[in-house]
Amino acid sequence: MIPSLTETGRRRNLAPVLSKAVVILAAAFALWVIYANLFVISDPLILGILFISGIFTILFLAIGATSRAPDDIPFYDWVLSALSLACGVYFFMSADAIANRISLLDAFTPDQLFFGSSLLFLTLEATRRTTGLGLTGVVMLFLIYNLFGYLLPPPFGHRVSEFSYVLDILVFTTDGLFGVPIQVVASYVFLFVMFGTFLSKAGGGDFFFNVASLVTGRSRGGPAKIAVISSGLYGTMSGSPTSDVVATGSITIPVMKRLGYSARFAGAVEVAASTGGSAMPPIMGSAAFIMAEYSGISYNEIVLAALLPALLYYGGVFAQVHLRAVRLDLRPSEGEIPTVAETFKTGWVFLLPILGIVLALLLGYSPTFTAGVGVVATILASMILKQTRMSLWQIVEGLGTTTLQILPVAGACAAAGLVIGGLSMTGLGMKAASVILELSNAQPILTLVISAAVTIILGLGMPTPSAYILAAVLVGPALAKLGFPTLPSQMFLLYYAILSALTPPIAVAAIAASAIADEDPFKIAFSAVRLAVVGFLLPFAFVWNPGILLALDPLMNTLAIVGAAMATGAIAISVEGSMGRDLSTLERLLLTLAAVGAVCPYPIIALVSILLIAALIGRQLMSLPREAEKKSA
C-alpha cells in the first residue's frame, strides 16, 4: 500500500452514467470559469477559493488515489470531494470576515482552523495524485522547514513559526495557496487550454499533421521531420511535453519504426520536438503567463521575445534530424502525402482562430480576453463546414475535457503557491540566492551555469509551471543581484524548466515516449538531449546577446538574428559530425567556436564568425559532388 501511495493516481474509467455526470459537472465548472473571467470582475481571493474548491471536488471523483485504484469511486473519495466543496462554500460565505481579519494578530476560530487545515491537507493529496511524490515531497520539506527552521543555524534559520502562523500565511492570504500561480491557472491558462481542446476536437490536430506531412513528407527523413513540425504546432497549444508526446507520438513513432528508424531515434525525435512546444508562441504553456505576472513584463512582449529562440530551437532539432537522415539514408514517408488542396479543403477554417488570437494580441487585449476570443472563434469556425462542425454534446465534452485536463496543472500550481508562501514567510528565497552567489563567487558565467543546473534539478519530474515558479523564487534573485536584465534572465529560467522534461534521470517526456516506442527511456532521453543541444545553449546566448530576444535596436537585432541562425546550423553540423561527408575533429571544433562568436554582442567578432561559418559550410557543400563521384566509382 505504501509504495503505491508514492505514485500518481490514475484517471478512473467510470461507468457510462457516472462518467457522463462527471463530464457535465466539469463542463458546468468550465462555464463558471468563463463567466468569472470574461463577464464579472472577480476578487482574486474569491476567484482562487472557488476555483480551488471546484477543481478539488472534481479531482477526487475523476482521479483515484493510486495507479491501481479501482474504477468505482470509494467512499473516502466521495468524502474528500464533499469536503472540498464544503471548504469552498465555507470560504466563500466567510470571504468578508477573512478579508477583514488582521493576519497573524487575530486568532483563528475553531471553524477557520478546521476548514483551513482541511484545505491544506486536500492540496497535498491533490498534488500527490496529479504529480506524484516529487513535488509533494518538495512541499512537505518546505512545510517542515517553515515549522522547524528555527532550529537551524544562521543563515538558514528563521524565527519560530507555529502551525497557526504557517496556516495563516498559506491559506488565509493571497501570498500562498491562492497566490499568483493559481490565479493564472484560474484565468487565462484555463481558457487557453480550452482553446486547444476545442481546436483539437474539431480536427485541428489532423490539420497540423497534414501540414507537416505536406511540407516535409517527401524528403529524406520525412517522418521524423513531420514529428518535429507537428509536435511544435501541437505543443504550443498543449504546453505539456508529456501530453504532446502521447498525442502526436502515438502517430509519428510507429510510422518511423515501420520505415526502419530505430526505436531509440524515433522516441528521441518525438521527445525533443514535443518538449520545445512549451516555448513556442503564441501560447507557450502556462509558465509564460506566470512569468508575465512575476516579472511585470507584458505577455505580448514575452511572446515576441520568445519567437526567435523557439524557431532556433526547432531549427536545430530539424537540422540534426535532416543531417542524421542524410548520413543514414533514411527513407521518406510511405503512402499518399496530402496535397495542398486536400490539406486546406477543410483545414483552412482552423487558421481563423489562430489569426483571431494573433490579432487580439497585436491589438493589445489582455491574455484572458485573447483566450476567450480563441475559444469563441474556434467554435464558430468549426460550424462553417459540415466536416468540422461540433454537436452540442461535443461542445459539452470540450468544456468538460478542459476541466479534466487542467487538474494536474491546478494541483501543481496550488502546491507551488504553498512553496512560494513559505519562501516569502521565511526569506529562504534570498538566502538561496546568497548561497548561489557564494558558490559562484558572483562570477556571471558560473552563476548562470549553477542556475541552469539548479533549475533542471528543480524541474525533474515536475510540470513546467512548477519548475519555473520554484526557479523564479529561488534562483531568480541571484540573477537579479548580478544585474542581469529581467526578460533574458526569466526566459533563461523558463527554458531550463522546460528542458527538464527531457533531461535524465527522470525525463518524464522520455518515459511517455518509451511506452510507445517500446524502448528504454534512458536511451531515449540521452538521444533527445543530443537532438535538443541547441536548446541547452540558447539561454546562454540570449542572456549574452539580448538581440536574440529582439530587445536591442533594429541593426543589432538583425545581426543577432543572422548570427544565431548561422550558429544553430553550425552547432547542428558539429554535433552530427557530418554534412554529406564526415567532418574532421578540427572542422567540428572550428564550427563550435565560430558558433560562439556568431552570437557575440560585439559586431566585428560576430561578423567574422558568421563569415567563417559560411566558409566552412560552403567548403563542405563544394566537396559533396567529389564525395558522390568517389562512392559511385
Side-chain angles (χ1 to χ4, degrees):
M1 180 63 182
I2 293 178
S4 66
L5 290 176
T6 64
E7 306 167 349
T8 57
R10 60 180 282 269
R11 279 282 298 275
R12 289 191 171 98
N13 185 20
L14 297 171
V17 174
L18 190 55
S19 176
K20 184 171 290 188
V22 170
V23 169
I24 292 173
L25 177 63
F29 179 78
L31 288 174
W32 170 80
V33 173
I34 295 173
Y35 173 77
N37 279 285
L38 299 181
F39 299 104
V40 297
I41 300 176
S42 300
D43 177 84
L45 181 63
I46 298 299
L47 179 64
I49 288 170
L50 294 179
F51 184 83
I52 284 286
S53 62
I55 281 289
F56 287 176
T57 300
I58 297 169
L59 188 151
F60 290 116
L61 298 179
I63 300 178
T66 69
S67 60
R68 292 178 288 276
D71 288 329
D72 294 332
I73 302 175
F75 78 94
Y76 54 81
D77 277 350
W78 284 111
V79 172
L80 292 177
S81 179
L83 181 58
S84 302
L85 182 61
C87 286
V89 172
Y90 172 79
F91 275 90
F92 179 72
M93 299 299 293
S94 307
D96 289 339
I98 293 172
N100 292 326
R101 69 183 297 273
I102 303 176
S103 296
L104 308 181
L105 291 179
D106 291 347
F108 284 127
T109 62
D111 52 323
Q112 288 174 339
L113 187 62
F114 171 78
F115 283 105
S117 302
S118 297
L119 198 54
L120 183 61
F121 164 74
L122 291 168
T123 302
L124 293 174
E125 174 59 10
T127 302
R128 186 196 65 78
R129 291 194 186 198
T130 54
T131 65
L133 194 60
L135 181 55
T136 311
V138 170
V139 177
M140 291 297 296
L141 285 175
F142 275 102
L143 288 176
I144 292 171
Y145 174 75
N146 295 340
L147 292 171
F148 303 106
Y150 68 92
L151 297 174
L152 296 176
F156 293 104
H158 58 80
R159 60 179 175 167
V160 178
S161 295
E162 298 177 353
F163 178 73
S164 60
Y165 181 102
V166 174
L167 188 67
D168 204 334
I169 297 296
L170 298 186
V171 180
F172 286 86
T173 71
T174 54
D175 293 330
L177 180 60
F178 305 125
V180 170
I182 210 65
Q183 295 291 334
V184 172
V185 174
S187 53
Y188 32 82
V189 170
F190 192 98
L191 294 177
F192 268 114
V193 170
M194 184 181 296
F195 162 71
T197 299
F198 278 115
L199 194 63
S200 178
K201 188 169 282 293
D206 294 335
F207 169 66
F208 292 143
F209 187 86
N210 288 338
V211 169
S213 300
L214 180 65
V215 173
T216 63
R218 291 186 174 87
S219 64
R220 212 158 15 174
K225 294 174 182 177
I226 291 171
V228 173
I229 296 176
S230 62
S231 296
L233 293 173
Y234 185 87
T236 188
M237 295 187 300
S238 72
S240 169
T242 305
S243 64
D244 196 353
V245 167
V246 173
T248 60
S250 59
I251 300 174
T252 59
I253 292 175
V255 170
M256 284 188 273
K257 289 181 65 178
R258 191 171 66 246
L259 294 181
Y261 295 49
S262 71
R264 177 174 181 169
F265 180 65
V269 168
E270 182 58 46
V271 168
S274 295
T275 299
S278 296
M280 175 63 75
I283 300 176
M284 297 177 62
S286 55
F289 303 111
I290 296 172
M291 184 200 299
E293 294 291 334
Y294 271 111
S295 65
I297 302 170
S298 71
Y299 178 70
N300 294 2
E301 188 177 347
I302 292 173
V303 167
L304 180 62
L307 180 59
L308 180 60
L311 294 176
L312 292 171
Y313 175 88
Y314 276 100
V317 175
F318 192 92
Q320 285 189 242
V321 165
H322 173 74
L323 294 170
R324 188 86 60 91
V326 171
R327 180 163 57 87
L328 301 179
D329 195 24
L330 298 177
R331 290 182 288 168
S333 299
E334 287 181 343
E336 185 178 347
I337 303 297
T339 64
V340 174
E342 291 170 338
T343 300
F344 287 91
K345 182 179 179 180
T346 59
W348 66 269
V349 299
F350 300 114
L351 298 178
L352 299 178
I354 301 293
L355 292 175
I357 280 184
V358 172
L359 183 61
L361 287 173
L362 291 177
L363 291 176
Y365 288 105
S366 69
T368 301
F369 183 82
T370 298
V373 168
V375 172
V376 174
T378 302
I379 296 174
L380 294 178
S382 72
M383 298 299 175
I384 296 175
L385 301 176
K386 183 179 180 180
Q387 296 92 322
T388 60
R389 191 172 301 149
M390 291 183 288
S391 66
L392 179 60
W393 176 246
Q394 285 179 311
I395 294 175
V396 172
E397 277 188 321
L399 292 168
T401 300
T402 300
T403 301
L404 296 175
Q405 285 181 338
I406 213 73
L407 295 180
V409 180
C413 286
L418 295 180
V419 173
I420 293 169
L423 289 173
S424 63
M425 179 174 60
T426 60
L428 182 60
M430 297 308 297
K431 295 172 185 175
S434 299
V435 170
I436 292 174
L437 293 175
E438 187 173 338
L439 288 174
S440 66
N441 198 26
Q443 297 297 314
I445 294 179
L446 188 54
T447 300
L448 288 174
V449 171
I450 294 174
S451 298
V454 170
T455 303
I456 288 175
I457 292 171
L458 288 173
L460 294 178
M462 289 193 190
T464 298
S466 303
Y468 167 72
I469 292 168
L470 293 178
V473 296
L474 287 172
V475 182
L479 301 181
K481 278 189 174 183
L482 288 184
F484 287 109
T486 302
L487 178 59
S489 60
Q490 291 299 310
M491 196 72 75
F492 180 94
L493 298 176
L494 175 61
Y495 257 77
Y496 284 108
I498 292 170
L499 291 168
S500 65
L502 60 74
T503 306
I506 306 297
V508 290
I511 293 173
S514 67
I516 303 172
D518 193 22
E519 178 58 281
D520 186 337
F522 285 99
K523 293 180 179 179
I524 291 176
F526 283 113
S527 294
V529 167
R530 178 176 174 178
L531 287 173
V533 66
V534 169
F536 285 91
L537 300 176
L538 257 176
F540 288 92
F542 58 62
V543 168
W544 192 25
N545 186 352
I548 298 173
L549 300 178
L550 308 180
L552 302 177
D553 60 77
L555 182 60
M556 292 301 293
N557 286 345
T558 302
L559 183 60
I561 291 171
V562 175
M566 295 296 287
T568 297
I571 291 295
I573 295 169
S574 178
V575 170
E576 291 301 320
S578 173
M579 204 182 138
R581 77 169 179 83
D582 292 340
L583 275 69
S584 66
T585 302
L586 178 60
E587 289 172 319
R588 297 173 73 172
L589 180 60
L590 284 174
L591 280 170
T592 302
L593 293 176
V596 174
V599 296
C600 175
Y602 306 109
I604 298 300
I605 297 176
L607 285 170
V608 171
S609 300
I610 290 170
L611 292 174
L612 178 58
I613 294 172
L616 290 169
I617 293 177
R619 181 173 178 272
Q620 288 292 313
L621 293 174
M622 291 175 64
S623 68
L624 290 182
R626 292 194 298 271
E627 292 294 321
E629 289 177 5
K630 289 180 182 179
K631 289 182 180 180
S632 61

